[in-house]
Amino acid sequence: MAGQIRRVIDKMIQLRAKGDPIIVNTTRTKLFLKGVQIDKYDRDSDDDPAVLAKLQEIARDFGVTVE
């Protein structure tokens, strides 16, 4: 299913930021520093199991649960 990476990224940002634009920006920055190039993925991007696993690990570090 294409676009799953982008959905996980968006959900992670939404859950962590809870509407606070400053936390949105810091979360995006932290994802970038952890090696996830957010702008590289969109709703049509192919899903890479390694990237999805990395995002799940980062989500645990952030204290959020994403599908």
Coordinates of all heavy atoms in Angstrom, one line a residue:
M1 N 0.8 -1.2 0.0 CA 0.0 0.0 0.0 C 0.9 1.2 0.0 O 1.6 1.5 0.9 CB -0.9 0.0 1.2 CG -1.8 1.1 1.4 SD -3.2 0.8 2.5 CE -2.7 1.7 3.9
A2 N 0.9 2.0 -1.1 CA 1.7 3.2 -1.2 C 1.3 4.3 -0.3 O 0.1 4.4 0.1 CB 1.6 3.7 -2.6
G3 N 2.3 5.0 0.2 CA 2.0 6.2 1.0 C 1.9 6.0 2.5 O 1.7 6.9 3.3
Q4 N 2.2 4.7 2.9 CA 2.1 4.4 4.3 C 3.1 5.2 5.1 O 2.9 5.6 6.3 CB 2.2 2.9 4.6 CG 1.9 2.5 6.0 CD 1.9 1.0 6.1 OE1 2.1 0.2 5.2 NE2 1.7 0.5 7.4
I5 N 4.3 5.4 4.6 CA 5.4 6.1 5.3 C 4.9 7.5 5.6 O 5.1 8.0 6.7 CB 6.7 6.1 4.5 CG1 7.3 4.7 4.4 CG2 7.7 7.1 5.1 CD1 8.5 4.6 3.5
R6 N 4.3 8.2 4.6 CA 3.9 9.6 4.8 C 2.8 9.6 5.9 O 2.7 10.5 6.7 CB 3.4 10.2 3.5 CG 3.1 11.6 3.6 CD 4.3 12.4 4.1 NE 4.0 13.7 4.5 CZ 4.8 14.7 4.4 NH1 6.0 14.6 3.8 NH2 4.4 15.9 4.8
R7 N 1.8 8.6 5.9 CA 0.8 8.6 6.8 C 1.3 8.4 8.3 O 0.9 9.1 9.2 CB -0.2 7.5 6.5 CG -1.2 7.9 5.4 CD -2.3 6.9 5.3 NE -1.9 5.6 4.8 CZ -1.7 5.4 3.5 NH1 -1.9 6.3 2.6 NH2 -1.3 4.2 3.1
V8 N 2.3 7.6 8.4 CA 3.0 7.4 9.7 C 3.7 8.6 10.2 O 3.5 9.0 11.3 CB 3.9 6.2 9.7 CG1 4.8 6.1 10.9 CG2 3.2 4.9 9.5
I9 N 4.4 9.3 9.3 CA 5.0 10.6 9.6 C 4.0 11.6 10.1 O 4.2 12.2 11.1 CB 5.9 11.1 8.4 CG1 7.1 10.2 8.2 CG2 6.3 12.5 8.7 CD1 7.8 10.5 6.9
D10 N 3.0 11.8 9.3 CA 2.0 12.8 9.6 C 1.3 12.5 11.0 O 1.1 13.4 11.8 CB 0.9 12.9 8.5 CG 1.5 13.5 7.2 OD1 2.6 14.1 7.3 OD2 0.8 13.3 6.2
K11 N 1.0 11.2 11.2 CA 0.3 10.8 12.4 C 1.3 11.0 13.6 O 0.8 11.5 14.7 CB -0.1 9.3 12.4 CG -0.9 8.8 13.5 CD -2.3 9.5 13.5 CE -3.1 8.8 14.6 NZ -4.5 9.3 14.6
M12 N 2.5 10.7 13.5 CA 3.5 10.9 14.5 C 3.6 12.4 14.9 O 3.6 12.8 16.1 CB 4.9 10.4 14.1 CG 5.9 10.3 15.2 SD 7.5 9.7 14.7 CE 7.2 8.6 13.4
I13 N 3.7 13.2 13.9 CA 3.8 14.7 14.1 C 2.5 15.2 14.8 O 2.5 16.0 15.8 CB 4.0 15.4 12.8 CG1 5.5 15.1 12.3 CG2 3.9 16.9 13.0 CD1 5.8 15.6 10.9
Q14 N 1.3 14.7 14.3 CA 0.1 15.2 14.9 C -0.1 14.8 16.4 O -0.4 15.6 17.2 CB -1.1 14.5 14.1 CG -2.4 14.8 14.7 CD -3.5 14.0 14.1 OE1 -3.2 13.1 13.3 NE2 -4.8 14.2 14.4
L15 N 0.3 13.5 16.7 CA 0.2 13.0 18.1 C 1.1 13.7 19.0 O 0.8 14.0 20.2 CB 0.4 11.5 18.1 CG -0.7 10.7 17.5 CD1 -0.3 9.2 17.4 CD2 -2.0 10.8 18.3
R16 N 2.3 14.0 18.5 CA 3.3 14.6 19.4 C 3.1 16.1 19.6 O 3.2 16.6 20.7 CB 4.7 14.4 18.8 CG 5.8 14.8 19.7 CD 7.1 14.1 19.4 NE 8.1 14.3 20.4 CZ 9.0 15.2 20.4 NH1 9.0 16.1 19.4 NH2 9.8 15.3 21.4
A17 N 2.7 16.8 18.5 CA 2.6 18.2 18.6 C 1.2 18.7 19.2 O 1.2 19.7 19.8 CB 2.7 18.8 17.2
K18 N 0.2 17.9 19.0 CA -1.1 18.3 19.5 C -1.5 19.7 19.2 O -2.0 20.5 20.0 CB -1.2 18.1 21.0 CG -1.0 16.7 21.5 CD -0.9 16.5 23.0 CE -0.6 15.1 23.3 NZ -0.2 14.9 24.7
G19 N -1.2 20.1 17.9 CA -1.6 21.4 17.4 C -0.6 22.5 17.7 O -0.8 23.6 17.2
D20 N 0.4 22.3 18.4 CA 1.4 23.3 18.7 C 2.4 23.4 17.5 O 3.2 22.5 17.3 CB 2.2 23.0 20.0 CG 3.1 24.1 20.5 OD1 3.5 24.9 19.6 OD2 3.4 24.1 21.7
P21 N 2.4 24.6 16.8 CA 3.3 24.7 15.6 C 4.8 24.6 16.0 O 5.6 24.2 15.1 CB 2.9 26.1 15.1 CG 2.2 26.8 16.1 CD 1.6 25.8 17.0
I22 N 5.2 25.0 17.1 CA 6.6 24.9 17.5 C 7.0 23.5 17.6 O 8.1 23.1 17.2 CB 6.9 25.7 18.8 CG1 6.6 27.2 18.6 CG2 8.3 25.4 19.3 CD1 6.7 28.1 19.8
I23 N 6.2 22.7 18.3 CA 6.5 21.3 18.4 C 6.4 20.5 17.1 O 7.2 19.6 16.8 CB 5.6 20.6 19.4 CG1 5.8 21.2 20.8 CG2 5.8 19.1 19.5 CD1 4.9 20.7 21.9
V24 N 5.5 21.0 16.2 CA 5.5 20.5 14.8 C 6.9 20.6 14.2 O 7.5 19.7 13.6 CB 4.4 21.1 13.9 CG1 4.6 20.8 12.5 CG2 3.0 20.7 14.4
N25 N 7.4 21.8 14.2 CA 8.7 22.1 13.6 C 9.9 21.4 14.3 O 10.7 20.9 13.6 CB 9.0 23.6 13.6 CG 8.1 24.4 12.6 OD1 7.7 23.8 11.6 ND2 7.9 25.6 12.9
T26 N 9.8 21.3 15.6 CA 10.9 20.6 16.3 C 10.8 19.1 16.0 O 11.9 18.4 15.9 CB 10.9 20.8 17.8 OG1 9.7 20.4 18.4 CG2 11.2 22.2 18.1
T27 N 9.6 18.5 15.9 CA 9.5 17.1 15.6 C 10.0 16.8 14.1 O 10.7 15.8 13.9 CB 8.0 16.7 15.7 OG1 7.5 16.9 17.0 CG2 7.8 15.2 15.4
R28 N 9.6 17.7 13.2 CA 10.1 17.5 11.8 C 11.7 17.6 11.8 O 12.3 16.8 11.1 CB 9.5 18.6 10.9 CG 8.1 18.5 10.7 CD 7.5 19.6 9.8 NE 8.1 19.7 8.5 CZ 7.7 19.1 7.4 NH1 6.7 18.3 7.5 NH2 8.3 19.2 6.3
T29 N 12.2 18.5 12.6 CA 13.7 18.6 12.7 C 14.3 17.3 13.3 O 15.3 16.8 12.8 CB 14.1 19.8 13.5 OG1 13.5 21.0 12.9 CG2 15.6 20.0 13.6
K30 N 13.7 16.8 14.4 CA 14.2 15.6 15.0 C 14.2 14.4 14.0 O 15.1 13.6 14.0 CB 13.5 15.3 16.3 CG 13.8 16.3 17.4 CD 13.1 16.0 18.7 CE 13.5 16.9 19.8 NZ 12.9 16.5 21.1
L31 N 13.1 14.3 13.3 CA 13.0 13.3 12.3 C 14.1 13.4 11.3 O 14.7 12.4 10.9 CB 11.6 13.3 11.6 CG 10.4 12.8 12.5 CD1 9.1 13.1 11.8 CD2 10.6 11.3 12.7
F32 N 14.3 14.6 10.8 CA 15.4 14.8 9.9 C 16.8 14.4 10.4 O 17.6 13.8 9.8 CB 15.4 16.3 9.4 CG 16.5 16.6 8.4 CD1 16.5 16.2 7.1 CD2 17.7 17.3 8.9 CE1 17.5 16.5 6.2 CE2 18.7 17.5 8.0 CZ 18.6 17.1 6.7
L33 N 17.0 14.8 11.7 CA 18.3 14.5 12.3 C 18.5 13.0 12.6 O 19.6 12.5 12.6 CB 18.4 15.3 13.7 CG 18.6 16.8 13.5 CD1 18.5 17.4 14.9 CD2 19.9 17.1 12.8
K34 N 17.3 12.3 12.7 CA 17.4 10.8 12.8 C 17.4 10.1 11.5 O 17.4 8.9 11.4 CB 16.2 10.4 13.7 CG 16.3 10.8 15.1 CD 15.1 10.3 15.9 CE 15.2 10.7 17.3 NZ 16.0 9.8 18.2
G35 N 17.5 10.9 10.4 CA 17.7 10.3 9.1 C 16.5 10.1 8.2 O 16.6 9.4 7.2
V36 N 15.4 10.7 8.6 CA 14.2 10.6 7.8 C 13.9 11.9 7.1 O 13.7 12.9 7.7 CB 12.9 10.3 8.7 CG1 11.7 10.2 7.9 CG2 13.1 9.0 9.5
Q37 N 14.0 11.8 5.8 CA 13.8 13.0 4.9 C 12.3 13.1 4.6 O 11.9 12.5 3.6 CB 14.7 12.9 3.6 CG 16.1 12.8 3.9 CD 16.9 12.6 2.6 OE1 16.4 12.6 1.5 NE2 18.2 12.5 2.8
I38 N 11.6 13.8 5.4 CA 10.2 13.9 5.3 C 9.7 14.3 3.9 O 8.7 13.7 3.4 CB 9.6 14.9 6.4 CG1 10.0 14.4 7.8 CG2 8.1 15.1 6.2 CD1 9.7 15.4 8.8
D39 N 10.3 15.3 3.3 CA 9.9 15.8 2.0 C 10.1 14.8 0.9 O 9.5 15.0 -0.2 CB 10.6 17.1 1.7 CG 10.2 18.2 2.7 OD1 9.1 18.2 3.2 OD2 11.1 19.1 2.9
K40 N 10.8 13.8 1.1 CA 11.0 12.7 0.1 C 9.8 11.8 0.0 O 9.6 11.2 -1.1 CB 12.2 11.9 0.6 CG 12.6 10.7 -0.3 CD 13.8 10.0 0.2 CE 14.1 8.8 -0.6 NZ 15.2 8.0 0.0
Y41 N 8.9 11.8 1.0 CA 7.8 10.9 0.9 C 6.5 11.7 0.8 O 6.3 12.7 1.4 CB 7.7 10.1 2.2 CG 9.0 9.3 2.5 CD1 9.9 9.7 3.4 CD2 9.3 8.1 1.8 CE1 11.1 9.0 3.6 CE2 10.4 7.4 2.0 CZ 11.4 7.9 2.9 OH 12.5 7.2 3.1
D42 N 5.6 11.1 -0.1 CA 4.3 11.7 -0.3 C 3.3 10.5 -0.3 O 3.6 9.4 0.0 CB 4.2 12.6 -1.5 CG 4.5 11.8 -2.8 OD1 4.5 10.6 -2.8 OD2 4.8 12.5 -3.8
R43 N 2.1 10.8 -0.6 CA 1.0 9.8 -0.6 C 1.2 8.7 -1.7 O 0.5 7.7 -1.6 CB -0.4 10.5 -0.8 CG -0.7 11.5 0.3 CD -1.3 10.9 1.4 NE -1.6 12.0 2.4 CZ -1.5 11.8 3.7 NH1 -1.1 10.6 4.2 NH2 -1.8 12.7 4.5
D44 N 2.0 9.0 -2.7 CA 2.2 8.0 -3.7 C 3.6 7.3 -3.6 O 3.9 6.5 -4.5 CB 2.1 8.7 -5.1 CG 0.8 9.3 -5.3 OD1 -0.2 8.7 -4.9 OD2 0.7 10.5 -5.9
S45 N 4.3 7.6 -2.6 CA 5.7 7.0 -2.4 C 5.5 5.5 -2.1 O 4.6 5.1 -1.4 CB 6.5 7.6 -1.3 OG 6.7 9.0 -1.6
D46 N 6.4 4.7 -2.7 CA 6.5 3.3 -2.3 C 6.9 3.1 -0.9 O 7.7 3.9 -0.4 CB 7.4 2.5 -3.3 CG 6.9 2.5 -4.7 OD1 5.7 2.5 -4.9 OD2 7.8 2.4 -5.6
D47 N 6.4 2.1 -0.3 CA 6.7 1.8 1.1 C 7.9 0.9 1.3 O 8.0 -0.1 0.6 CB 5.5 1.1 1.8 CG 4.3 2.0 1.9 OD1 4.5 3.2 2.0 OD2 3.2 1.5 1.9
D48 N 8.8 1.4 2.1 CA 10.1 0.7 2.4 C 10.0 0.1 3.8 O 9.9 0.9 4.8 CB 11.2 1.6 2.2 CG 12.6 1.0 2.5 OD1 12.6 -0.2 2.9 OD2 13.6 1.6 2.3
P49 N 10.0 -1.2 4.0 CA 9.9 -1.8 5.3 C 10.9 -1.3 6.3 O 10.7 -1.2 7.5 CB 10.0 -3.3 5.1 CG 9.7 -3.5 3.6 CD 10.1 -2.2 2.9
A50 N 12.1 -1.0 5.8 CA 13.2 -0.6 6.7 C 12.9 0.8 7.2 O 13.1 1.1 8.4 CB 14.5 -0.5 5.9
V51 N 12.3 1.7 6.4 CA 12.0 3.1 6.8 C 10.8 3.0 7.8 O 10.8 3.7 8.8 CB 11.6 4.0 5.6 CG1 11.1 5.3 6.1 CG2 12.8 4.1 4.7
L52 N 9.8 2.1 7.5 CA 8.7 2.0 8.4 C 9.2 1.5 9.8 O 8.7 1.9 10.8 CB 7.7 1.0 7.8 CG 6.8 1.6 6.7 CD1 6.0 0.5 6.0 CD2 5.9 2.7 7.2
A53 N 10.1 0.5 9.8 CA 10.6 0.0 11.1 C 11.4 1.1 11.8 O 11.2 1.2 13.1 CB 11.6 -1.2 10.8
K54 N 12.1 1.9 11.1 CA 12.8 3.0 11.7 C 11.8 4.0 12.3 O 12.0 4.6 13.4 CB 13.7 3.7 10.7 CG 14.6 4.8 11.2 CD 15.4 5.4 10.1 CE 16.7 6.0 10.7 NZ 17.6 6.4 9.6
L55 N 10.7 4.3 11.6 CA 9.7 5.2 12.1 C 9.0 4.7 13.3 O 8.7 5.5 14.3 CB 8.7 5.5 11.0 CG 9.2 6.4 9.9 CD1 8.2 6.5 8.8 CD2 9.5 7.8 10.4
Q56 N 8.8 3.4 13.4 CA 8.2 2.8 14.6 C 9.1 3.0 15.8 O 8.7 3.3 16.9 CB 7.9 1.3 14.3 CG 6.8 1.1 13.4 CD 5.4 1.6 13.8 OE1 5.2 1.6 15.0 NE2 4.6 1.9 12.9
E57 N 10.4 2.8 15.6 CA 11.4 3.0 16.7 C 11.4 4.4 17.1 O 11.4 4.7 18.3 CB 12.8 2.5 16.2 CG 13.8 2.6 17.2 CD 15.2 2.2 16.7 OE1 15.3 1.3 15.9 OE2 16.2 2.8 17.1
I58 N 11.4 5.4 16.2 CA 11.4 6.8 16.5 C 10.1 7.1 17.3 O 10.2 7.9 18.3 CB 11.6 7.6 15.3 CG1 13.0 7.4 14.7 CG2 11.3 9.1 15.6 CD1 13.1 8.0 13.3
A59 N 9.0 6.6 16.8 CA 7.7 6.8 17.5 C 7.8 6.4 19.0 O 7.3 7.1 19.9 CB 6.6 6.2 16.8
R60 N 8.4 5.2 19.2 CA 8.5 4.8 20.6 C 9.4 5.7 21.4 O 9.1 6.0 22.5 CB 9.2 3.4 20.6 CG 8.2 2.3 20.4 CD 8.7 0.9 20.7 NE 9.9 0.6 19.9 CZ 9.9 0.0 18.7 NH1 8.8 -0.2 18.1 NH2 11.0 -0.2 18.1
D61 N 10.5 6.2 20.8 CA 11.3 7.2 21.5 C 10.5 8.5 21.8 O 10.8 9.1 22.8 CB 12.5 7.6 20.6 CG 13.5 6.4 20.5 OD1 13.4 5.5 21.2 OD2 14.4 6.5 19.5
F62 N 9.6 8.9 20.9 CA 8.8 10.1 21.1 C 7.7 9.8 22.1 O 7.0 10.8 22.5 CB 8.2 10.5 19.8 CG 9.2 11.2 18.8 CD1 8.8 11.5 17.6 CD2 10.5 11.6 19.2 CE1 9.7 12.1 16.7 CE2 11.4 12.2 18.4 CZ 11.0 12.5 17.1
G63 N 7.4 8.6 22.4 CA 6.3 8.3 23.3 C 4.9 8.3 22.7 O 3.9 8.5 23.3
V64 N 4.9 8.0 21.3 CA 3.6 7.9 20.7 C 3.4 6.6 20.0 O 4.4 5.9 19.7 CB 3.4 9.1 19.6 CG1 3.4 10.4 20.3 CG2 4.5 9.0 18.5
T65 N 2.2 6.2 19.7 CA 1.9 4.9 19.1 C 1.3 5.2 17.7 O 0.3 5.9 17.7 CB 1.0 4.1 19.9 OG1 1.6 3.9 21.2 CG2 0.7 2.7 19.3
V66 N 1.9 4.7 16.7 CA 1.3 4.9 15.3 C 1.1 3.5 14.7 O 1.8 2.5 15.1 CB 2.2 5.7 14.4 CG1 2.2 7.2 14.9 CG2 3.6 5.2 14.4
E67 N 0.2 3.4 13.8 CA -0.1 2.1 13.2 C 0.9 1.8 12.1 O 1.3 2.6 11.3 CB -1.5 2.1 12.6 CG -2.5 2.4 13.6 CD -3.9 2.5 13.0 OE1 -4.0 2.4 11.8 OE2 -4.8 2.7 13.8

